[in-house]
Amino acid sequence: MINMRLKFIKGRETKYISHLDLLRTFQRALRRAHIPMAYSGGFNPHPEMSFASALGVGLTSMGEYLDIGVNEEISGEDVIMRLNAVLPVGLRVENAVVLKEKPRSGMALVSHARYNIYLRFEKDIDIEDCLRSFLAQDNILAVKQQPKKDFKTIEIDIKPMIREIKALSQGGGEVVLDCVLSSGSKANLKPELMLQALKKQIGDIFEDEKIERIDLYSDMEGELTPLLLIDNA
Amino acid sequence: MDLNIKDYIYDKLLPKVERPGRYIGTEWNSIHKALEGINIRFAFCFPDSYEVGMSHLGMKILYHLLNDQKDIYCERVFAPWPDMESLMRKEDIKLFALESRDYIQDFDFVGFTLQYEMSYTNIINMLDLAGVPKLTSQRREGDPFVVAGGPCAYNPEPLSQVIDFFMLGEGEEQMLEVMEVYRQWKVKGMKREEFLELVSKVRGVYVPSFYDVSYNEDNTIKSIMPNKEGVPEKVKKRVIKDLNKAYFPDKIIVPFIDVVHDRIMLEIFRGCTRGCRFCQAGMIYRPVRERTVEELFSIAEKLVESSGYEEISLSSLSTGDYSKLSELAEKLLSEYEKDRIGLSLPSLRIDSISLKLLQEVQKVRKTGLTFAPEAGSQRLRDVINKNVTEEDLINSVGAAFDLGYSNVKLYFMIGLPTETMEDVEGIADLGYKVMERYYQVPKNQRGKGINITISTSCFVPKPFTPFQWEPQDNIEAMREKQKHLQKMLRKKGFTYNWHDPNLSLLEAVFARGDRRLSKVLIRAWELGCKFDGWDEHFKYEAWLQAFEDCGIEPEFYALRKRELEEVLPWSHIDVGVTKKYLKSEYRKALKGETTRDCRTVCTGCGINLLEEGGVCK
Ligand code: SF4
């Protein structure tokens, strides 16, 4: 089996497609594209494919990743071309690379995600100042629901999961937050939760218009590396 | 329509609903057209959820048929789920078509497909949400024409005050003829009424307002007569003569979200020759017409290529009756096994399961098996002409158990004409015999964990069947039968499911109802009834209230035995199968006499006389 990693865009038209539905959508698109998929063994064989990370329903993304296993050699360019011809609007493969043998899975690699969060404030504010005081707290507390525990809530400190937040003011109360948050199996911070904590600190004075994921990274000895650059053949 | 409303719906409303994927509209193979050059806009409405509607083959065919016409833009509309509906009402957003998100009140046609009676309140609700007047009599120039087709349209009367015209029978040819009449009418800038007159001349079109119904003292119908010249006294259903030449799309929409039937549905033939006396489909879809293996294979090839689906299901009323089933199945299996495309064979009759075929299919995918003996005793199976014996059942179930299956579903009906408690007990007895057969397979060879699911539905007498004159069993009797079975099947390895008799009562009312029921429907909707087919939304009390408010007794429709000579509400509809045949079948049923499958020798149902030249060989 040859492993490949695809980077794709999940746009406005597909932002409501859940993780499971997206998997099925890709399965069918891969068939239409005649990508020679490898299948798992066992009683109920399924095509070898897995996403690096689940994206929240309602969010768009410029940098999602899908790992696939193929039986025959096929170039990245070929995969891009063939798949893009048969993907529904709102999904687009940007890049595809062949990985070295026994690569680490995208899922295992992901440690951080970059988001652009588009906010609209009631009035012009000094966002830099807000962020400074937000990040200066010893603990940044947020209340999290636990779907697996009957939606019981717990309070957690999200500060260690915020790697970076920068603000770009657009004027007129419009702000874009460019932030890098922990993402993956070890630590995961949803941007919505971060906003909830921000609201608690500066008041309910803004609305989020749009949240877009920009890319996924792996922390390679302190250095954030985009997934596409890891384990290439 | 304001562009911003469309964005508002998409970006602001959808995040608040439970399954936004229902309302996206940009699924693979969905059709999006620029409005320039569009002459006719058609809202194809399915009065149930997206998941149910997107599983329906007829809708997929007609959607592409219409969109293949350059000047027609056909879009889909499903009943918004109640969470979406309440948001729409709160924010004053009208019912929109999925593809363009334009309001359907501005369309030329709003067309409903009628698959089951209990979706009728959703039609009223959708018209209300759309801002389209609910009654035919309230619609004015410029309003869309509200039309309907599908199996329930054969008794159109309960919806006759709501639907402007019905299209009876198979739509592939008729739909385009109706569109052509519309084009010409539109060019000439004629009146609404004039279009209805023109379209009533298209064969299979029924315009209810062109017919008057009069009643007898006892509330039965005295007569149904055209009130306009040139309107046919009897409306004949449409039939496609050669299915191989009929339109079939080379692509189908692939939903993003999980729907009930999410696979390629290959319609291998239409009609059925078995002549089960309870089955409306078996009568109204006659005659039998098969697609050739070559044609089916070529359709499958195109659909596999364009959809990417991983499963093909052979669809028909009785898959095992297809004359070249093994040839077709083997051809499909050998072609697609390497691509890991599975084959499923639903509605396989228990007396026609081919062991070899089963094994073949099993190689690709292992699915549970369903059997439908329908009645528990041989006597009652003879009454309903379900020509299947206990031996047949045990043999085929046994064959399945020998192959390692351990999961079977058995479907029955209760409340069938002449049924006694003994017949009901026969259902449980049969279940136990099936169980016994499982234990005859040596322990090391049989599938683990036997599970026999027995489901009983409540019999609903339907128009155009030999039982159309029969009363439905009353609710108390059905409940008693269900309780009895529940007791008898309380044993490990059995699961017993039953249907709510309250719902079946309403089904029986609307299946054989007349014009006077339109007002009950509207009243029930006013009292909050919708999605009646969904347990969690079904409001029986509200329905009873609606009947009372309208001064109509549901028993009159559901529980009354009709005289053979009574004018039935659908007497002016001709489905081809004659009343003479139905009467003779009814008499034979009561005597317990069976009628053989007409595949080999014609039993004279009359369908061959419907079209000039005949269709049955
Ligand atoms: S006309 Fe004869 S062969 Fe044709 S469907 Fe009717 S009974 Fe069967």
Side-chain angles (χ1 to χ4, degrees):
Chain A
M1 181 171 87
I2 304 164
N3 293 289
M4 300 185 82
R5 181 160 297 149
L6 280 53
K7 182 181 184 186
F8 66 95
I9 291 176
K10 191 173 184 231
R12 178 170 178 258
E13 293 85 355
T14 49
K15 67 179 173 178
Y16 296 121
I17 308 303
S18 70
H19 192 62
L20 217 67
D21 293 340
L22 189 67
L23 190 74
R24 215 177 22 241
T25 298
F26 264 102
Q27 265 172 24
R28 289 171 183 163
L30 287 160
R31 268 182 191 287
R32 294 193 292 266
H34 299 286
I35 307 292
M37 296 296 288
Y39 277 74
S40 69
F43 186 62
N44 194 6
H46 51 87
E48 290 286 357
M49 54 192 288
S50 62
F51 293 112
S53 162
L55 182 68
V57 168
L59 273 59
T60 56
S61 177
M62 301 297 287
E64 293 302 293
Y65 293 85
L66 174 68
D67 290 353
I68 62 170
V70 293
N71 280 331
E72 291 160 33
E73 226 171 278
I74 175 170
S75 73
E77 291 75 38
D78 232 16
V79 169
I80 297 173
M81 208 180 59
R82 275 153 66 172
L83 214 41
N84 281 343
V86 295
L87 276 171
V89 276
L91 291 176
R92 213 190 133 69
V93 179
E94 285 291 283
N95 214 331
V97 292
V98 178
L99 301 178
K100 68 175 194 200
E101 253 178 76
K102 299 227 158 74
R104 286 162 286 182
S105 74
M107 213 182 322
L109 284 168
V110 169
S111 67
H112 290 84
R114 178 185 296 277
Y115 297 92
N116 277 357
I117 305 175
Y118 295 75
L119 302 179
R120 183 190 300 277
F121 284 83
E122 287 156 7
K123 53 178 190 298
D124 247 333
I125 53 135
D126 186 347
I127 184 69
E128 309 281 345
D129 196 51
C130 289
L131 286 181
R132 222 171 291 126
S133 61
F134 178 60
L135 293 173
Q137 302 174 88
D138 289 336
N139 301 307
I140 304 181
L141 296 178
V143 180
K144 192 177 160 182
Q145 285 199 334
Q146 300 162 283
K148 283 186 194 134
K149 294 182 185 162
D150 286 340
F151 288 92
K152 269 189 218 138
T153 55
I154 48 161
E155 201 171 42
I156 54 164
D157 179 14
I158 62 168
K159 190 170 180 183
M161 294 189 278
I162 300 175
R163 176 132 174 171
E164 171 188 325
I165 305 184
K166 278 184 297 201
L168 289 158
S169 176
Q170 316 278 75
E174 298 205 9
V175 165
V176 184
L177 298 183
D178 180 32
C179 45
V180 177
L181 311 176
S182 289
S183 188
S185 49
K186 282 197 208 87
N188 195 52
L189 175 57
K190 288 186 177 170
E192 293 92 334
L193 200 64
M194 195 272 290
L195 290 179
Q196 182 214 97
L198 183 62
K199 262 189 185 161
K200 218 164 67 188
Q201 164 89 3
I202 66 172
D204 193 357
I205 53 170
F206 64 83
E207 262 191 76
D208 55 304
E209 289 286 308
K210 175 179 153 184
I211 304 179
E212 183 159 70
R213 186 138 86 182
I214 302 301
D215 210 345
L216 294 170
Y217 310 95
S218 188
D219 190 335
M220 309 292 263
E221 290 149 26
E223 187 92 17
L224 287 192
T225 315
L227 287 201
L228 212 57
L229 303 180
I230 306 169
D231 286 351
N232 287 348
Chain B
M1 190 177 131
D2 191 349
L3 255 182
N4 289 328
I5 294 187
K6 295 186 183 185
D7 289 344
Y8 183 80
I9 294 170
Y10 191 79
D11 293 314
K12 300 295 173 196
L13 230 48
L14 294 193
K16 296 184 194 160
V17 303
E18 197 191 316
R19 298 190 78 179
R22 288 167 167 155
Y23 313 98
I24 297 179
T26 54
E27 305 94 321
W28 179 249
N29 285 336
S30 62
I31 307 279
H32 294 256
K33 292 187 175 186
L35 292 185
E36 208 180 315
I38 296 299
N39 188 22
I40 303 175
R41 299 197 66 180
F42 197 113
F44 202 119
C45 304
F46 196 102
D48 207 321
S49 72
Y50 176 90
E51 290 85 338
V52 174
M54 281 306 289
S55 306
H56 184 247
L57 181 62
M59 180 177 206
K60 294 180 188 203
I61 296 177
L62 293 175
Y63 176 78
H64 288 288
L65 173 89
L66 285 168
N67 277 320
D68 280 359
Q69 303 281 308
K70 260 210 175 99
D71 64 337
I72 301 178
Y73 188 3
C74 173
E75 302 180 56
R76 294 163 298 150
V77 186
F78 301 93
W81 198 247
D83 64 338
M84 178 67 168
E85 181 194 333
S86 67
L87 276 178
M88 287 168 69
R89 291 197 186 275
K90 202 170 93 203
E91 311 239 4
D92 209 11
I93 284 166
K94 293 199 166 72
L95 189 59
F96 55 88
L98 281 195
E99 281 80 356
S100 67
R101 257 174 264 136
D102 281 329
Y103 286 166
I104 64 169
Q105 85 183 143
D106 302 321
F107 283 31
D108 299 85
F109 289 95
V110 170
F112 289 95
T113 170
L114 312 178
Q115 297 298 318
Y116 31 86
E117 291 81 7
M118 297 326 290
S119 65
Y120 289 176
T121 48
N122 276 4
I123 295 180
I124 310 294
N125 197 40
M126 286 167 82
L127 289 173
D128 182 71
L129 261 177
V132 173
K134 287 183 273 302
L135 297 178
T136 295
S137 58
Q138 296 165 335
R139 288 181 206 125
R140 301 287 170 253
E141 307 297 331
D143 282 331
F145 287 101
V146 178
V147 304
C152 290
Y154 290 113
N155 176 21
E157 292 304 282
L159 284 169
S160 59
Q161 320 281 303
V162 176
I163 303 292
D164 295 327
F165 66 91
F166 293 86
M167 297 187 237
L168 306 181
E170 293 163 347
E172 287 100 332
E173 294 165 355
Q174 178 191 39
M175 181 65 100
L176 294 182
E177 291 169 25
V178 168
M179 292 300 113
E180 185 50 31
V181 171
Y182 186 77
R183 284 186 188 107
Q184 285 170 17
W185 170 83
K186 201 172 176 183
V187 171
K188 293 191 188 130
M190 293 156 84
K191 291 243 159 9
R192 195 175 173 85
E193 171 90 3
E194 288 170 307
F195 174 66
L196 293 176
E197 278 173 30
L198 288 171
V199 83
S200 74
K201 308 239 162 27
V202 174
R203 186 153 168 186
V205 168
Y206 169 58
V207 183
S209 58
F210 292 169
Y211 295 78
D212 287 334
V213 182
S214 61
Y215 301 93
N216 296 311
E217 293 260 309
D218 64 358
N219 273 329
T220 56
I221 293 172
K222 192 168 172 188
S223 71
I224 306 172
M225 294 295 283
N227 58 24
K228 229 181 209 1
E229 230 174 282
V231 173
E233 240 170 78
K234 278 207 162 212
V235 182
K236 288 186 180 180
K237 78 163 184 192
R238 286 298 285 270
V239 172
I240 302 286
K241 275 197 188 167
D242 183 355
L243 216 52
N244 292 305
K245 295 193 186 112
Y247 174 85
F248 204 89
D250 45 25
K251 53 185 181 180
I252 44 171
I253 297 178
V254 184
F256 285 118
I257 65 172
D258 211 2
V259 300
V260 183
H261 297 295
D262 201 11
R263 57 186 73 98
I264 290 172
M265 281 177 278
L266 211 50
E267 188 194 28
I268 55 180
F269 67 93
R270 279 187 199 164
C272 181
T273 52
R274 300 242 156 193
C276 299
R277 293 178 179 132
F278 57 87
C279 177
Q280 192 191 34
M283 298 292 162
I284 60 178
Y285 290 122
R286 285 182 182 212
V288 160
R289 287 143 298 153
E290 294 193 344
R291 282 197 165 91
T292 61
V293 171
E294 294 69 42
E295 171 73 4
L296 288 166
F297 195 71
S298 125
I299 293 175
E301 241 180 337
K302 286 180 208 151
L303 292 183
V304 164
E305 179 69 23
S306 64
S307 72
Y309 268 124
E310 57 289 319
E311 186 178 345
I312 300 172
S313 135
L314 301 185
S315 103
S316 71
L317 290 172
S318 168
T319 302
D321 285 348
Y322 182 63
S323 59
K324 304 214 170 66
L325 183 61
S326 328
E327 188 189 332
L328 175 68
E330 272 156 30
K331 199 164 168 178
L332 289 171
L333 283 166
S334 66
E335 173 71 20
Y336 292 121
E337 200 178 358
K338 63 176 186 323
D339 300 329
R340 295 172 195 266
I341 292 172
L343 186 63
S344 60
L345 307 171
S347 67
L348 213 56
R349 302 257 174 173
I350 61 176
D351 52 343
S352 61
I353 281 198
S354 132
L355 202 66
K356 187 157 161 266
L357 196 60
L358 209 62
Q359 273 168 317
E360 282 294 317
V361 174
Q362 196 195 13
K363 264 201 278 181
V364 184
R365 186 161 310 154
K366 190 156 183 159
T367 45
L369 288 174
T370 56
F371 302 90
E374 310 289 4
S377 70
Q378 193 56 47
R379 186 199 70 80
L380 196 50
R381 282 194 295 273
D382 287 345
V383 167
I384 63 175
N385 205 41
K386 181 87 193 180
N387 291 329
V388 149
T389 63
E390 186 177 305
E391 206 189 326
D392 294 333
L393 173 70
I394 300 299
N395 282 346
S396 12
V397 172
F401 287 153
D402 291 341
L403 283 174
Y405 283 85
S406 57
N407 220 325
V408 295
K409 288 186 184 136
L410 305 175
Y411 288 104
F412 297 92
M413 276 183 281
I414 55 168
L416 286 163
T418 77
E419 183 185 59
T420 64
M421 215 32 134
E422 227 171 283
D423 299 311
V424 175
E425 287 169 359
I427 294 175
D429 293 344
L430 215 46
Y432 279 96
K433 284 178 186 154
V434 168
M435 175 82 84
E436 231 169 77
R437 179 62 184 79
Y438 167 78
Y439 283 111
Q440 281 169 18
V441 185
K443 199 165 182 185
N444 54 351
Q445 282 165 36
R446 65 186 181 222
K448 267 195 262 318
I450 177 76
N451 185 14
I452 302 171
T453 304
I454 294 185
S455 301
T456 60
S457 61
C458 304
F459 173 61
V460 176
K462 295 273 172 125
F464 301 108
T465 66
F467 293 146
Q468 62 178 355
W469 295 280
E470 270 290 293
Q472 188 182 41
D473 213 0
N474 68 57
I475 290 182
E476 292 70 42
M478 295 224 242
R479 283 206 202 289
E480 206 188 308
K481 291 171 184 173
Q482 291 173 340
K483 278 206 198 105
H484 196 57
L485 277 177
Q486 230 176 316
K487 256 190 242 141
M488 290 185 74
L489 292 169
R490 213 171 278 152
K491 186 169 193 280
K492 202 168 162 273
F494 284 115
T495 312
Y496 176 51
N497 298 324
W498 63 92
H499 284 198
D500 179 1
N502 290 345
L503 189 67
S504 303
L505 174 86
L506 286 178
E507 243 179 281
V509 170
F510 282 94
R512 292 185 296 169
D514 58 36
R515 291 195 167 192
R516 292 168 290 191
L517 289 178
S518 282
K519 62 176 185 237
V520 181
L521 207 53
I522 304 261
R523 184 64 192 139
W525 168 79
E526 284 168 356
L527 294 170
C529 295
K530 61 189 170 199
F531 284 104
D532 296 302
W534 297 75
D535 271 354
E536 69 262 46
H537 295 298
F538 179 51
K539 298 191 178 88
Y540 186 58
E541 296 305 316
W543 270 105
L544 293 184
Q545 180 72 47
F547 280 106
E548 201 181 313
D549 292 353
C550 298
I552 284 179
E553 290 181 350
E555 295 80 11
F556 176 79
Y557 296 97
L559 305 184
R560 185 172 57 91
K561 189 179 175 80
R562 277 85 165 156
E563 292 302 321
L564 284 178
E565 295 322 311
E566 183 175 327
V567 179
L568 300 170
W570 52 93
S571 336
H572 54 315
I573 307 293
D574 185 1
V575 298
V577 174
T578 61
K579 197 165 180 179
K580 189 168 147 248
Y581 174 79
L582 295 178
K583 275 186 198 167
S584 114
E585 280 298 293
Y586 183 34
R587 290 199 189 99
K588 283 172 86 178
L590 296 182
K591 284 189 272 180
E593 286 172 22
T594 59
T595 296
R596 65 177 155 204
D597 190 320
C598 67
R599 191 167 284 267
T600 37
V601 182
C602 173
T603 54
C605 78
I607 189 72
N608 50 342
L609 305 172
L610 184 73
E611 296 261 347
E612 301 78 38
V615 247
C616 281
K617 275 159 219 137

